């Protein structure tokens, strides 16, 4: 039996306690239509086990879920006639996460749609880029 949070809306959807429009289900993952989509055909892909965000997800579970992405993406593109597609995970409220059961958004995109992209970008200056590379690699090695 996988992890479950009785107060989590996605755990309730996974258990079938509240309705959802399911499109794909495996032993470890579920995909269903987002109830308030960015564009029609917006799908949420969730690991069945309750993990608040990507930081808490095991490698196997992440892989089991993410391996469904290409097939889902092709199906959503065909079903909606989308020109492209964004795959996004929000982690933490500052990053736009509102439901704390980690999930992938698969959002069909259309050439003239009203979705705001790109986000603002700015380059590194001085040795900031090398410093950041060092810090991330150091944390990876410490895992
Ligand atoms: P996030 O803001 O990344 O946590 O995404 C949560 C998403 O869940 C939002 O896009 C909501 O529209 C969607 N959502 C919330 N409740 C439901 C529900 N009952 N069924 C389907 N999607 C939902
Ligand atoms: Zn949950």
């Amino acid at each position: 039996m996988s992890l479950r949070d009785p107060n989590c809306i996605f755990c309730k959807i996974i258990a079938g306690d509240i309705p959802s429009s399911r499109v794909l289900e495996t032993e470890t993952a579920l995909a269903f239509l987002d109830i308030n989509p960015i564009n029609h055909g917006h799908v949420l892909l969730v690991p069945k086990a309750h993990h608040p965000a990507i930081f808490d997800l095991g490698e196997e579970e992440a892989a089991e879920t993410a391996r469904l992405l290409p097939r889902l993406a092709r199906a959503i593109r065909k079903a909606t006639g989308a020109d492209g597609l964004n795959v996004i995970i929000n982690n933490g409220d500052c990053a736009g996460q509102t439901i704390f059961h980690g999930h992938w958004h698969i959002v069909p995109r259309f050439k003239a749609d009203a979705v705001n992209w790109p986000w603002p970008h700015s380059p590194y200056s001085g040795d900031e880029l090398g410093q950041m590379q060092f810090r991330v690699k150091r944390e990876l090695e410490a895992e």
Side-chain angles (χ1 to χ4, degrees), residues 22 28 44 55 62 66 70 79 89 104 108 112 121 127-128 139:
R22 296 168 182 239
T28 55
L44 301 175
F55 313 112
I89 310 180
W104 280 252
H121 292 245
D127 65 354
E128 286 173 344
E139 294 305 330

Side-chain angles (χ1 to χ4, degrees), residues 32-101:
F32 53 94
L33 290 174
D34 193 296
I35 207 171
N36 191 23
I38 294 171
N39 280 324
H40 288 192
H42 177 175
V43 162
L44 301 175
L45 172 61
V46 303
K48 285 187 175 172
H50 180 89
H51 298 288
I54 199 165
F55 313 112
D56 317 294
L57 202 52
E59 286 189 3
E60 290 301 320
E61 212 161 7
E64 276 295 303
T65 308
R67 78 184 176 83
L68 303 174
L69 282 170
R71 193 150 64 98
L72 271 169
R74 286 190 295 270
I76 293 165
R77 186 176 60 174
K78 282 189 181 155
T80 62
D83 302 307
L85 193 137
N86 289 112
V87 176
I88 302 166
I89 310 180
N90 301 326
N91 294 282
D93 50 11
C94 76
Q97 188 175 13
T98 57
I99 296 193
F100 293 87
H101 179 131

Side-chain angles (χ1 to χ4, degrees), residues 90-142:
N90 301 326
N91 294 282
D93 50 11
C94 76
Q97 188 175 13
T98 57
I99 296 193
F100 293 87
H101 179 131
H103 52 281
W104 280 252
H105 291 262
I106 308 165
V107 183
R109 295 296 309 277
F110 303 88
K111 279 184 184 135
D113 71 20
V115 183
N116 244 342
W117 183 269
W119 290 330
H121 292 245
S122 56
Y124 289 102
S125 54
D127 65 354
E128 286 173 344
L129 187 142
Q131 290 277 345
M132 186 54 70
Q133 180 187 23
F134 172 80
R135 279 157 54 188
V136 174
K137 285 179 72 175
R138 185 179 57 190
E139 294 305 330
L140 284 167
E141 281 156 20

